[in-house]
Amino acid sequence: MKFERIRSALVCFGFLVGSCQGAPGGEAVGGSAGSSATGEGGVGGGDGSGGQPAPGDPAGGGSAGTLPGGKSGNATGGVAGIEGGGSMGGGGGSGSGMGGTWEPPKPGPEGKVPAFIAIGHGGRRVVSCNDGYTWLETCQTEGFPSGGCRINNSNGDHEEWSAEAIAYGDGVFLALFGWFGGDSAHILRSSDGRSWQHVFGAPDTAKGTWGTGIAFGNGAFVVNAQRSGTHRSVDEGESWTTKTFGNSNAAHRRTLVFIPYKGGRFLSYGDGGRLTYSDDAGVTWKEATTNCPYIKNMAWGNGVLVANDFKGRCATEDGLTWHVVSEWNADADVVWTGGEFLIPLASEKKAFVSADGQTWSTIKIIGGGFGPTAIGAVAVDPPRGTLVGISRQGDDFYRSSDHGRTWTQVAGQAGTNLLRVTFGYVTPTDDCKLP
């Protein structure tokens, strides 16, 4: 069992190297803070030279940039490093630039570590437990058909190990794989993001029970089972019960979500406005229809559920009555940042935002290395507000600490498509330590 570290070759961070070069010419920033969260950053040189180390705690001050700073002018400090002592930026111009101060992640429930986990085709799984700065690819040899970082290298949407959904709840992550063409859905479980157990799927269940959605709420995990209804577990995936629906609502159900509406409601959506919902944690289900044709991925915030698809988006308060609010195309996940809904369209350097899910506007976003489908899967760390974005191709990783306005690309290992990402808390390991 091991991890293969994915180190950034594009962005210089203090926790990867001892010191970094300063910013080249142009509007530069002041020296950043070093390894100590209490140390002040270096002061920008009056002639645009690198900032000098701050007095006081020798570990806290940022070191001087090794390249000249930008032109004269007031500038603020850069972002602090995580563990190393290096400075990120060159000095500012005239006037002092106070370095940024890094705040360590707050411990999660019961001393767990905040983490993002993404899944991709072929059973691929990657995890970041340092606020999205680096990603670790899970390499596991025992308990799987072919071992390694992936079950296989298949990159198809309709195969046995196609990535479908991932959810966090009750201290564990459950990842769902498998769709058309495969014998069964597969559910993998992990509490640390590193070791995974196969808890559901062939050869344990009958053929033809593939799934396309998973959600957690009110103590239960619920899985869409396209050809049989839903599967439900209240013991972290150890055992499952199946609820069978009629054929009209069983086939081609695309997604599943839990919302805190009136004590909690599961919603399972399918093609042609098909809808089933449960108000008792997935024990019993009712059938309904919806007028929203755009239900592919969803996000809850400010008492509203927003659904997004490459055809447009809709909004609802109860999951049953929907309002079509836009025909704009944006084939990326919608996410609630804590203050607004955001849908990044990075290939065009813009994003759609809305505070209420009804009225939307377009903003510019800043970032480098954006390709045609730069950001597809998106997730947020609610306590800290950090956003991570991953390209559908699974090769490009990004993070944002300003509500999606500015994105920084970090290097990631190439692999099969990464289609889903979520946030939760993992049990501490040697790779994911408590702060």
Side-chain angles (χ1 to χ4, degrees):
M1 186 90 64
K2 64 179 181 178
F3 273 116
E4 182 174 341
R5 289 193 173 275
I6 304 173
R7 295 182 179 272
S8 174
L10 302 176
V11 181
C12 191
F13 293 113
F15 67 105
L16 293 182
V17 292
S19 62
C20 303
Q21 292 183 331
E27 292 288 348
V29 296
S32 66
S35 60
S36 170
T38 60
E40 294 180 347
V43 176
D47 58 354
S49 61
Q52 298 301 310
D57 181 359
S63 62
T66 58
L67 290 180
K71 64 183 180 180
S72 177
N74 293 327
T76 58
V79 179
I82 300 298
E83 294 176 355
S87 170
M88 287 178 61
S94 63
S96 62
M98 186 64 71
T101 300
W102 176 73
E103 295 182 1
K106 297 179 181 179
E110 300 178 359
K112 292 195 173 185
V113 181
F116 295 99
I117 295 183
I119 63 170
H121 287 337
R124 187 182 182 192
R125 290 142 284 143
V126 295
V127 58
S128 174
C129 47
N130 62 355
D131 206 30
Y133 281 107
T134 59
W135 292 81
L136 310 172
E137 185 129 6
T138 301
C139 296
Q140 188 166 345
T141 57
E142 69 273 13
F144 293 92
S146 59
C149 295
R150 291 175 286 280
I151 308 301
N152 59 50
N153 288 319
S154 170
N155 216 14
D157 291 332
H158 297 168
E159 301 186 21
E160 184 175 351
W161 285 98
S162 300
E164 293 301 331
I166 184 170
Y168 173 82
D170 215 13
V172 299
F173 291 85
L174 293 188
L176 174 65
F177 298 89
W179 206 29
F180 303 117
D183 288 340
S184 177
H186 295 272
I187 299 177
L188 307 184
R189 179 184 63 196
S190 179
S191 61
D192 62 9
R194 176 178 181 178
S195 60
W196 293 80
Q197 300 81 42
H198 189 274
V199 296
F200 183 94
D204 304 318
T205 57
K207 293 183 178 181
T209 56
W210 38 273
T212 55
I214 187 169
F216 178 86
N218 288 347
F221 282 98
V222 175
V223 177
N224 262 350
Q226 288 282 58
R227 298 178 185 175
S228 56
T230 60
H231 299 300
R232 177 177 182 267
S233 175
V234 293
D235 56 8
E236 301 176 2
E238 284 292 332
S239 60
W240 298 84
T241 57
T242 299
K243 176 66 177 179
T244 302
F245 301 145
N247 290 335
S248 63
N249 264 300
H252 300 289
R253 286 138 39 96
R254 301 293 182 178
T255 189
L256 181 74
V257 69
F258 175 86
I259 62 175
Y261 176 80
K262 289 188 176 180
R265 171 173 288 174
F266 281 99
L267 299 158
S268 175
Y269 296 98
D271 290 349
R274 297 183 178 97
L275 165 65
T276 51
Y277 67 97
S278 173
D279 292 332
D280 57 5
V283 176
T284 60
W285 294 79
K286 298 178 181 178
E287 296 187 2
T289 57
T290 174
N291 65 325
C292 179
Y294 310 132
I295 300 176
K296 183 177 181 181
N297 63 82
M298 295 176 281
W300 174 269
N302 199 24
V304 177
L305 180 67
V306 171
N308 181 60
D309 194 287
F310 60 89
K311 298 178 181 178
R313 66 193 62 93
C314 305
T316 179
E317 295 181 357
D318 62 2
L320 305 181
T321 303
W322 288 83
H323 307 282
V324 178
V325 298
S326 175
E327 299 289 340
W328 294 342
N329 294 340
D331 190 16
D333 288 352
V334 57
V335 64
W336 174 254
T337 67
E340 64 185 359
F341 294 99
L342 174 102
I343 304 172
L345 192 58
S347 59
E348 299 182 20
K349 300 288 184 73
K350 66 181 182 181
F352 304 125
V353 295
S354 173
D356 60 6
Q358 301 283 342
T359 303
W360 292 78
S361 59
T362 304
I363 62 170
K364 292 183 179 180
I365 62 176
I366 301 171
F370 289 152
T373 56
I375 297 178
V378 186
V380 62
D381 173 346
R384 300 177 63 181
T386 300
L387 290 166
V388 297
I390 305 174
S391 70
R392 299 290 191 200
Q393 283 72 24
D395 299 341
D396 298 322
F397 297 78
Y398 305 86
R399 71 178 301 278
S400 173
S401 57
D402 61 358
H403 310 291
R405 270 58 177 174
T406 304
W407 294 85
T408 301
Q409 185 177 11
V410 296
Q413 179 176 315
T416 55
N417 291 2
L418 288 171
L419 302 184
R420 306 287 183 263
V421 62
T422 194
F423 173 82
Y425 296 90
V426 297
T427 302
T429 64
D430 289 342
D431 296 286
C432 294
K433 297 179 180 179
L434 286 170

